[in-house]
Amino acid sequence: MPIEFWFDFASGYAYFASLEIEALAERHRRSVLWRPFTLGAAFKVTGAQGLSRTPLKGEYARRDWQRLARLKGVVFKLPERHPKVGLPAIRAFYHIDRVDPPTAARLAKQIITGYFRDDLDTDNPHAIAEVASPLGIDRDAVLAGINDPEVKAIARQHCEAAVARGVFGSPWIFVDGEPFWGSDRFAMVERWLSTGPW
């Protein structure tokens, strides 16, 4: 079964996880099922708010993200007007995912790295279409997909399904139905994949 990788495009911790999830899966001969969603759907249930908007926690997270970037040797630049909801990005993903999941996964990686490296505006459909173009995805088709009522419904259903399964944070990983919250759980996920349940 694939490793399910649920994440919000504006999640700093999901960004770091996205850089490592496929290598982790490959070590255990698994694939990755990329599943973007908006944390706003979970916040409606939990009553919480985004980490970046929470006093004290937001300041700590910004410091921690920079520390993680130095530790891992990767670029990390918090975008202006962070966090963004990113519905066009989520809808573009599910539009492509209907017919070509591997390309949708590549698009997801381009979007989340673009957000945290190049200030990609995930709320701008044209910016998302621009990112999709080098992957061989027609810009006009992406724009049409983002506005397609069926795609909007699919994206909404995935958000609702995430919450129904207990997802309240990002990143969130399911391994054979077992939930793991946070990029700091990768060592635990690795052990679970190696030894099975304990």
Side-chain angles (χ1 to χ4, degrees):
M1 290 178 65
I3 295 171
E4 296 180 49
F5 181 57
W6 292 82
F7 64 99
D8 188 306
F9 279 118
S11 166
Y13 291 112
Y15 162 70
F16 293 107
S18 74
L19 302 177
E20 300 177 9
I21 187 68
E22 290 190 323
L24 183 152
E26 191 174 319
R27 287 194 294 273
H28 299 278
R29 298 178 183 175
R30 299 282 188 117
S31 59
V32 178
L33 184 65
W34 292 72
R35 283 293 173 257
F37 76 109
T38 174
L39 274 171
F43 294 157
K44 289 177 182 176
V45 177
T46 64
Q49 63 178 351
L51 187 59
S52 294
R53 292 193 172 115
T54 304
L56 301 181
K57 288 184 179 181
E59 288 79 3
Y60 173 82
R62 285 176 173 81
R63 183 181 192 129
D64 197 38
W65 292 330
Q66 294 298 338
R67 190 168 49 199
L68 276 169
R70 292 193 302 271
L71 179 67
K72 296 175 181 295
V74 298
V75 176
F76 180 90
K77 296 178 183 174
L78 204 61
E80 291 184 27
R81 297 190 305 105
H82 171 80
K84 296 171 183 165
V85 177
L87 285 177
I90 294 169
R91 291 168 182 166
F93 171 88
Y94 285 114
H95 168 61
I96 305 302
D97 188 61
R98 291 186 297 179
V99 294
D100 191 348
T103 298
R106 288 167 55 214
L107 177 62
K109 286 180 280 186
Q110 288 293 106
I111 292 171
I112 197 165
T113 55
Y115 183 86
F116 286 106
R117 293 181 181 179
D118 304 312
D119 197 18
L120 173 66
D121 186 354
T122 52
D123 289 335
N124 182 339
H126 294 280
I128 298 302
E130 195 68 34
V131 169
S133 186
L135 300 177
I137 306 170
D138 181 73
R139 295 178 80 259
D140 292 336
V142 172
L143 292 171
I146 289 171
N147 291 307
D148 184 342
E150 183 179 332
V151 172
K152 291 179 181 180
I154 290 170
R156 186 169 56 254
Q157 287 162 9
H158 279 292
C159 289
E160 291 169 354
V163 174
R165 294 177 67 191
V167 177
F168 59 81
S170 171
W172 192 282
I173 298 165
F174 282 109
V175 179
D176 302 331
E178 186 71 14
F180 298 88
W181 172 36
S183 58
D184 59 344
R185 290 296 185 266
F186 268 32
M188 191 178 286
V189 169
E190 192 98 48
R191 181 178 170 186
W192 192 275
L193 286 163
S194 297
T195 66
W198 64 83

